[in-house]
Amino acid sequence: MTRPSAEILAVARRWIGAIQHRRQIELRNLLSEHAHLRFVGTGDGELWAGQVVREGIANFFGAIPAFLKHEETFAEAFENGDTGWACLTHELVFANQPERIFFVRTTLIFALEDGVWKIVHRHGSVPFPNMEFVGSAQTAIADLVAAAREGFSLDQREGFASIMFTDIVNSSRLASVMGDRLWSAEVSRHFAALRQHIEESGGQFVKSLGDGTMSSFAEPGQALDAARAILQSTARSDGPAIALRIGIHTGRLVQTEDDFFGTVVNKAARITALAAPGEIRVSDATRRMVGDSGDHRFSEPVPVRLEGLEGEHLVHRLV
């Protein structure tokens, strides 16, 4: 028998509130942990499934600007046995577009899992593409999906790992000067040189994507040694003047079968984005695990906010 459900409506409103206030742990906890979880967005190709949704959800909604207005205009929910559904609409005004009102529609399907209502299907839409809606293309989950399909694996299966990202800052300018063919060959040569430094320092070259790389190290000191060697080698190269930024974070591994996800990866990527050309930025966790070794010197910590992660985070620059 289908009947209105105040309980499901309350859970649906908790979901909306967690998005608005960026409560990433609550977002994860409201989602089913099963493979039948589905997430549908507005943009082309925004249809994701399973664990990758739970791992990437904070980054996806973290790209949304701050709200100036968030008003519910319609809400209803129903249940029938162990299943239920909710439909909500909202008027939103964002800090980066204060003169404009957006109308957002959300449909949530729920299932009772161990006596708790969990979202098994989410469909959200706005009458605009993401670029116009939030001012950026939201690719966090899509990137995770692409990485999972790539089928990469890590040699290290448990404990702490130091994740390092590198990114070529001036790639668009160099590509336009050199032409796509020559630039592609240069990037391949660059990646090969990075792989050599990473492996010589005891790390594992995990993957390359576009103009960036990701690698993993069992010890944070190994990651710092590799990062420093990479910058020095890049500066001495006879090729085009590549401007490189590097970010490192150390945290506990989160790995399922051969797919590697988790906060340690997301935080390392966010720290990399903060680095200026020619800089190595590291998290406070990495700094503390290295200790006061004379081999590495660091700047004073700077408190920053990282997209998709709650609170402030201390970041150092490797001198």
Side-chain angles (χ1 to χ4, degrees):
M1 176 181 176
T2 300
R3 59 186 179 86
S5 176
E7 184 178 5
I8 288 180
L9 185 57
V11 177
R13 284 170 170 159
R14 280 180 54 202
W15 167 262
I16 298 297
I19 295 171
Q20 179 184 5
H21 299 292
R22 305 181 190 277
R23 296 193 292 265
Q24 62 186 58
I25 296 176
E26 186 173 0
L27 285 171
R28 284 172 51 91
N29 290 341
L30 290 171
L31 294 170
S32 171
E33 298 183 20
H34 295 289
H36 54 239
L37 172 64
R38 296 293 182 270
F39 187 99
V40 183
T42 298
D44 293 339
E46 287 185 354
L47 172 57
W48 303 294
Q51 183 67 16
V52 70
V53 178
R54 301 185 79 250
E55 296 299 340
I57 198 68
N59 290 338
F60 182 85
F61 286 120
I64 297 176
F67 294 92
L68 292 181
K69 176 184 178 182
H70 187 277
E71 181 179 334
E72 181 183 287
T73 55
F74 175 81
E76 62 179 6
F78 300 89
E79 62 181 276
N80 189 329
D82 291 343
T83 59
W85 55 95
C87 179
L88 307 97
T89 62
H90 293 83
E91 289 186 5
L92 305 181
V93 177
F94 295 103
N96 64 337
Q97 300 185 64
E99 74 289 345
R100 191 169 187 182
I101 298 177
F102 292 92
F103 302 93
V104 181
R105 303 164 295 217
T106 303
T107 299
L108 302 170
I109 300 176
F110 294 83
L112 270 178
E113 297 180 1
D114 298 324
V116 178
W117 289 110
K118 295 284 188 175
I119 297 169
V120 295
H121 182 105
R122 175 268 186 188
H123 186 181
S125 65
V126 292
F128 307 98
N130 279 338
M131 184 61 72
E132 186 176 349
F133 179 44
V134 302
S136 64
Q138 292 170 282
T139 62
I141 295 179
D143 290 344
L144 288 172
V145 171
R149 288 177 178 169
E150 211 171 302
F152 63 83
S153 62
L154 284 178
D155 294 336
Q156 188 182 353
R157 295 269 174 181
E158 59 184 1
F160 282 84
S162 293
I163 301 300
M164 180 177 77
F165 282 91
T166 72
D167 180 50
I168 301 174
V169 181
N170 58 339
S171 60
S172 296
R173 181 177 61 82
L174 289 173
S176 65
V177 172
M178 298 176 64
D180 291 340
R181 185 175 180 180
L182 288 177
W183 176 241
S184 178
E186 179 60 29
V187 170
S188 296
R189 185 204 61 77
H190 170 72
F191 284 166
L194 262 61
R195 180 188 289 271
Q196 180 178 346
H197 289 301
I198 289 163
E199 293 177 351
E200 286 178 350
S201 298
Q204 180 188 355
F205 188 98
V206 177
K207 65 169 182 169
S208 60
L209 187 64
D211 300 321
T213 69
M214 170 185 165
S215 54
S216 175
F217 301 82
E219 298 291 337
Q222 296 173 333
L224 296 175
D225 289 341
R228 191 161 52 189
I230 287 169
L231 281 190
Q232 291 171 350
S233 174
T234 302
R236 292 194 303 264
S237 174
D238 294 332
I242 290 177
L244 203 64
R245 58 186 170 194
I246 301 177
I248 302 170
H249 172 54
T250 303
R252 187 169 295 279
L253 286 173
V254 178
Q255 186 168 356
T256 59
E257 298 178 355
D258 287 336
D259 299 335
F260 182 67
F261 302 111
T263 302
V264 61
V265 174
N266 296 334
K267 188 168 181 177
R270 297 292 178 262
I271 290 172
T272 305
L274 296 177
E279 274 192 349
I280 303 167
R281 294 277 181 170
V282 306
S283 68
D284 193 54
T286 300
R287 164 71 180 86
R288 289 176 178 274
M289 291 192 72
V290 170
D292 295 323
S293 167
D295 294 336
H296 305 103
R297 294 186 298 113
F298 302 89
S299 67
E300 289 298 315
V302 177
V304 298
R305 290 193 172 274
L306 301 176
E307 183 180 298
L309 300 173
E310 294 180 344
E312 288 191 333
H313 304 260
L314 295 179
V315 175
H316 303 257
R317 180 173 57 86
L318 179 64
V319 180

